[in-house]
Amino acid sequence: MSTTQVLISGPHVGLGRLQSQVPDGDFGAELPVETRRVARKQLREDEHARQQALQQFRDWASKSQEVQNCRLDANFMLRFLRVKKFSVPMAQQTLLKYLSLRQTLPHLCKRLDYLEPSVNQLIAAGYIFPLLERDSEGRKVIFTAASKLDPYKFTCADMAKAHFITYEALMEDELNQVHGFCHVSDLSGVSAAHVTLWSPSEFTTAVKWGEQSIPMRHREMNFINLPAPVRLVYDLARSTFSEKMRKRFKVHSNLKELHNKVDAQILPKEYGGKVPMQEMIDAWMRELKGKRERLMALDKMSLTCVYKPQRNRKSGSGDSSLKSTINSLPGSFRRLEVD
């Protein structure tokens, strides 16, 4: 039976020593001047801090008794350091949570193969993909179209893997690690069947662990075309995030409002931009092909115990709230079966 660790007491030397070798001088990619400025201002990153923190983090990971076969390359390790503004202890905790998430919910976030038939169909349909151009803040924009996910054809595992594949592939770019991400989600077509793809317990677990475990800087969350009957579910789902994240959620009533936050020119042509959505999807599929082996190799990492994330006291009350919220929905929503 696995154990649950709550605090890091320090490195353990011996059994967990890795075989991975780090190339000499691997301290990350050469970043553009503007990206270095953002990194210094927002993340407290400079050359000295980066090299010193990377060395400490690598030493800990290579000697840890709990962490097995961890990637030690700068690209991987820096995503944890950057999301925690180069606090090595906090980066260590996030890495433990990240590996724990993968081991606790393997059906959602392991074997991230975009060629898996159902996942491939979902991504190729345009459910989730990055825009070709960055926004005015240099952030990568992740676009999600809920209507592309047929709830009678796909499962919550297909949905989760599509997201994890997207996130892991994008984190391989150090510019994304520094500038972070902007999300645009079109919720048109969301129905009762979409709501019940997830059980309340699995949804809240995935959200709680995901926010604390995945080393991404989610800077802005934009939603459009939110169906009125689903507003209650949206409010409950939003409440499961931390207060910091909730402040970054924004529902727009129309495209004009969205364009005030996200430059229309970089959006798909169907949403006021210049490039058709299909071209963006095709470009993303080509990028995933080049990163497939790297994403699949993530499964080589493991953890000898499970690190459980802290309960977010400022978030919603969890499963019971989700059940009562769904029960309060009008019409056919009220008759949904809740696990």
Side-chain angles (χ1 to χ4, degrees), residues 27-68:
F27 293 107
E30 182 66 28
L31 302 175
V33 173
E34 176 60 19
T35 302
R36 293 201 301 270
R37 185 192 68 79
V38 172
R40 185 165 49 250
K41 180 178 180 180
Q42 297 184 12
L43 308 179
R44 301 195 289 266
E45 175 180 349
D46 57 31
E47 184 174 356
H48 176 73
R50 181 172 61 253
Q51 293 187 12
Q52 184 178 57
L54 262 176
Q55 188 61 55
Q56 293 175 9
F57 198 15
R58 281 170 170 158
D59 287 346
W60 169 81
S62 65
K63 297 173 183 177
S64 171
Q65 194 172 28
E66 291 87 2
V67 181
Q68 304 291 316

Side-chain angles (χ1 to χ4, degrees), residues 2 26 59 63 65 77 82 90 108 114 140 152 167 169 186 197 201 248 250-251 253 274 289 291 295 320:
S2 62
D26 179 23
D59 287 346
K63 297 173 183 177
Q65 194 172 28
M77 307 229 82
R82 283 168 171 149
M90 293 181 71
L108 301 182
Y114 89 105
K140 198 67 174 177
Y152 301 103
Y167 299 160
D186 181 357
L197 276 176
S201 59
R248 297 174 181 176
K250 176 64 177 177
V251 176
S253 58
K274 296 180 178 179
K289 181 179 180 180
K291 294 180 177 178
L295 266 60
S320 60

Side-chain angles (χ1 to χ4, degrees), residues 150-218:
D150 182 345
Y152 301 103
K153 180 179 181 180
F154 300 108
T155 66
C156 68
D158 297 328
M159 178 182 179
K161 284 190 175 185
H163 280 270
F164 278 112
I165 287 171
T166 300
Y167 299 160
E168 292 285 3
L170 290 175
M171 283 190 289
E172 292 291 330
D173 186 339
E174 289 192 35
L175 270 66
N176 296 336
Q177 296 177 15
V178 174
H179 290 282
F181 299 89
C182 170
H183 297 260
V184 177
S185 299
D186 181 357
L187 301 179
S188 60
V190 172
S191 66
H194 287 88
V195 174
T196 51
L197 276 176
W198 296 82
S199 71
S201 59
E202 191 166 45
F203 177 79
T204 53
T205 298
V207 168
K208 179 177 67 176
W209 281 55
E211 184 183 353
Q212 295 185 36
S213 308
I214 303 172
M216 294 177 69
R217 303 186 69 216
H218 302 286

Side-chain angles (χ1 to χ4, degrees), residues 231-244:
R231 182 66 194 229
L232 289 173
V233 177
Y234 163 84
D235 289 339
L236 190 281
R238 177 177 174 273
S239 74
T240 61
F241 287 87
S242 66
E243 182 179 4
K244 178 180 178 180

